[in-house]
Amino acid sequence: PAPSSHALQPDYPQQHTPPVRPPARLKAAAMTRETEADQLARSAAELQVDDEAEFMDMEDEESEEDQGGAGQGGYQFTGPEYQAQLKVQRQQLWIWIKRIGNNMFREGINLTKISLPVCLFEPRSFLERMTTNWEYLDLLMAAGASTDPVERMKYVVAFAVSGLCRQVSFHKPFNPILGETYQSRFPNGVETFLEQISHHPPISSWQMLEPTGKFMFFGNGNWTAGIKGNSVKGRQTGINVVRFADGSSISYELPGITVKGVLWGQRCIKYGGEMVFKDETNNLTCHVEVDPQPKQSYISSWFRSKQSLGYKPDLVYGQLKKGNTVLDTMTGNWLFYVEWEKGVKNARSKHMWDIKTSVLTPAIPVAQPLPSDAQTRKDVVFLKAGDQTLSQEWKHTLEEQQRKERNLRRTFGGVVEH
């Protein structure tokens, strides 16, 4: 599917002060919204799978923004190859909602603490999926080869932003089991080592080692996600660190992600928030805004769309500073490209990442991994073979085993939160 394409326009026009909506209308609108949530909850409680089309009609009652429709940007799953998958997936999701109850419409559900149907999954673990983030490896290699701290920062920012589009997928990966591992190697000899070090909260840890010692990339990610109504919101919190041979390091965090159109309407994925990059040794920082929103009051949002204020979806914008001095400005779109105004290599290279021309370098799983390797999981193996029934059975078996082991740790003084 083709991602939405939008012109770069980081500056927004001055907003106008809107007329104030009478309090009575505000109250009525709020009551209407609450009533809709209650209706969805009651509908889920009375759900019959044969009536799925009735729920699909509810997309007409949602705003274009809630649907993730045209003009809202994001990665749109519009291709015909997705339509049949969407229908099957949503049928099974309604069955799942019927089983878990209607709280997801009123209060939402923490997806890291509930068992999901395998129809939502791709046949690999989150540990393996993480390495997909790093497939524009040339940018990290260039950072390791540079001796200029400012150029290093530019390469690392481009590397981090380029990885966002690599996490876009129609299905989600399996949650790793405590103690699960994954090892891989890039064609140039760079090695990756990943391990699930906590079950609740789910925390994954990793190291990437450049064979000549030019850099080491390491960190940990705590994935949080929740579903409410027709959307899933999540974020991988935790630190990402690139440490160079001279001892300096650049650290950063990832933005939040939203999947819209989970149960009806247009399915799309959007990133939003801030990525803060820091090199404390060289007093360098870069604050990158992902999908920056126009400044608008709550009252104003009732009368003016974001587009009328100059909003362009999916942009990225950041300033690289040394102390309070701006050294360079980055612009782009997380779906397409990253560009630095002054560039690197004496301004010979400004367009640092482009999805059309930049080369992907996938990591290859090692031939003889540890017995705990993610690829040996039975639920993953059977889903890869196309057997959802056996995959679901094994997924349940592995989840029960984790619960029993957690109870044993609690009984005998182990670390309970794992």
Side-chain angles (χ1 to χ4, degrees):
S4 303
S5 179
H6 307 283
L8 184 65
Q9 192 174 354
D11 296 322
Y12 303 111
Q14 183 71 29
Q15 73 176 65
H16 301 287
T17 304
V20 178
R21 173 171 289 199
R25 292 182 64 190
L26 286 173
K27 183 176 180 180
M31 290 176 63
T32 301
R33 189 173 184 84
E34 181 179 359
T35 301
E36 289 173 355
D38 290 340
Q39 287 174 348
L40 280 171
R42 283 195 298 273
S43 297
E46 300 167 358
L47 178 67
Q48 300 294 324
V49 177
D50 292 341
D51 296 332
E52 181 199 8
E54 176 182 338
F55 290 90
M56 297 306 177
D57 291 339
M58 288 190 290
E59 65 177 287
D60 295 332
E61 301 173 11
E62 277 194 290
S63 69
E64 184 179 53
E65 181 175 355
D66 289 337
Q67 292 181 55
Q72 296 305 319
Y75 192 97
Q76 309 272 342
F77 292 94
T78 56
E81 68 273 20
Y82 292 111
Q83 301 313 305
Q85 294 183 65
L86 269 175
K87 184 174 182 180
V88 172
Q89 191 182 83
R90 285 169 170 170
Q91 286 175 338
Q92 295 188 46
L93 274 172
W94 284 117
I95 295 173
W96 175 73
I97 292 168
K98 173 73 174 178
R99 189 175 71 249
I100 66 171
N102 56 29
N103 284 340
M104 68 169 281
F105 290 105
R106 287 197 177 100
E107 302 171 7
I109 292 174
N110 184 341
L111 292 181
T112 66
K113 295 185 177 181
I114 193 167
S115 180
L116 296 169
V118 295
C119 66
L120 297 176
F121 291 84
E122 59 179 322
R124 58 176 175 170
S125 164
F126 178 66
L127 297 183
E128 181 179 358
R129 169 82 165 265
M130 286 181 73
T131 64
T132 305
N133 288 29
W134 312 327
E135 289 184 345
Y136 288 108
L137 185 64
D138 286 351
L139 293 165
L140 203 53
M141 297 298 295
S146 177
T147 57
D148 180 353
V150 174
E151 284 200 354
R152 283 179 181 171
M153 177 67 83
K154 294 178 183 181
Y155 280 120
V156 171
V157 169
F159 170 75
V161 173
S162 71
L164 299 180
C165 71
R166 301 301 298 153
Q167 281 295 292
V168 169
S169 174
F170 186 76
H171 297 91
K172 75 177 291 295
F174 282 86
N175 296 333
I177 298 168
L178 180 62
E180 181 177 308
T181 58
Y182 181 72
Q183 297 167 255
S184 63
R185 183 178 291 109
F186 289 92
N188 62 0
V190 171
E191 296 180 291
T192 68
F193 304 88
L194 302 95
E195 181 177 354
Q196 191 70 6
I197 61 174
S198 174
H199 177 52
H200 281 310
I203 300 176
S204 307
S205 183
W206 72 87
Q207 281 189 334
M208 178 193 290
L209 303 178
E210 199 277 329
T212 65
K214 291 179 180 177
F215 70 86
M216 177 173 66
F217 177 41
F218 62 94
N220 61 77
N222 174 10
W223 180 253
T224 60
I227 181 170
K228 185 175 182 181
N230 197 31
S231 297
V232 171
K233 291 187 177 183
R235 184 169 187 173
Q236 180 186 316
T237 61
I239 200 70
N240 302 257
V241 181
V242 184
R243 181 174 296 160
F244 300 99
D246 63 3
S248 64
S249 299
I250 296 174
S251 63
Y252 64 92
E253 293 189 3
L254 297 174
I257 186 172
T258 301
V259 182
K260 298 185 177 184
V262 175
L263 297 169
W264 64 83
Q266 176 61 53
R267 176 76 59 85
C268 80
I269 294 179
K270 286 180 66 70
Y271 277 99
E274 188 176 45
M275 304 173 72
V276 180
F277 296 78
K278 297 179 181 178
D279 177 351
E280 295 183 355
T281 301
N282 297 291
N283 194 26
L284 297 173
T285 59
C286 185
H287 290 251
V288 176
E289 295 180 84
V290 181
D291 193 35
Q293 304 292 307
K295 294 181 180 179
Q296 188 177 20
S297 70
Y298 176 75
I299 300 296
S300 171
S301 67
W302 287 73
F303 297 92
R304 299 193 66 187
S305 68
K306 291 189 292 186
Q307 282 73 17
S308 70
L309 296 173
Y311 170 68
K312 301 293 183 182
D314 308 321
L315 303 184
V316 289
Y317 176 81
Q319 290 186 324
L320 196 165
K321 296 181 179 181
K322 187 176 182 65
N324 294 321
T325 304
V326 176
L327 302 180
D328 204 350
T329 299
M330 185 271 288
T331 55
N333 183 306
W334 69 264
L335 287 164
F336 295 114
Y337 71 98
V338 167
E339 185 172 277
W340 286 96
E341 188 176 291
K342 296 180 180 177
V344 295
K345 299 178 181 177
N346 295 321
R348 292 195 304 274
S349 178
K350 297 182 179 182
H351 211 66
M352 299 190 66
W353 166 67
D354 191 305
I355 198 168
K356 294 181 180 179
T357 58
S358 297
V359 178
L360 287 169
T361 308
I364 302 168
V366 298
Q368 295 181 320
L370 296 171
S372 55
D373 194 82
Q375 294 189 103
T376 66
R377 289 178 51 165
K378 294 294 185 181
D379 48 2
V380 171
V381 170
F382 282 113
L383 188 59
K384 190 174 291 186
D387 194 329
Q388 283 197 12
T389 301
L390 277 177
S391 177
Q392 187 72 61
E393 290 176 2
W394 269 102
K395 182 174 180 290
H396 176 74
T397 298
L398 292 172
E399 289 170 347
E400 285 298 310
Q401 181 179 329
Q402 282 199 105
R403 293 187 186 99
K404 290 178 181 178
E405 291 177 352
R406 187 168 185 263
N407 288 334
L408 286 173
R409 288 193 293 275
R410 180 184 291 112
T411 301
F412 296 101
V415 182
V416 177
E417 64 266 27
H418 288 185

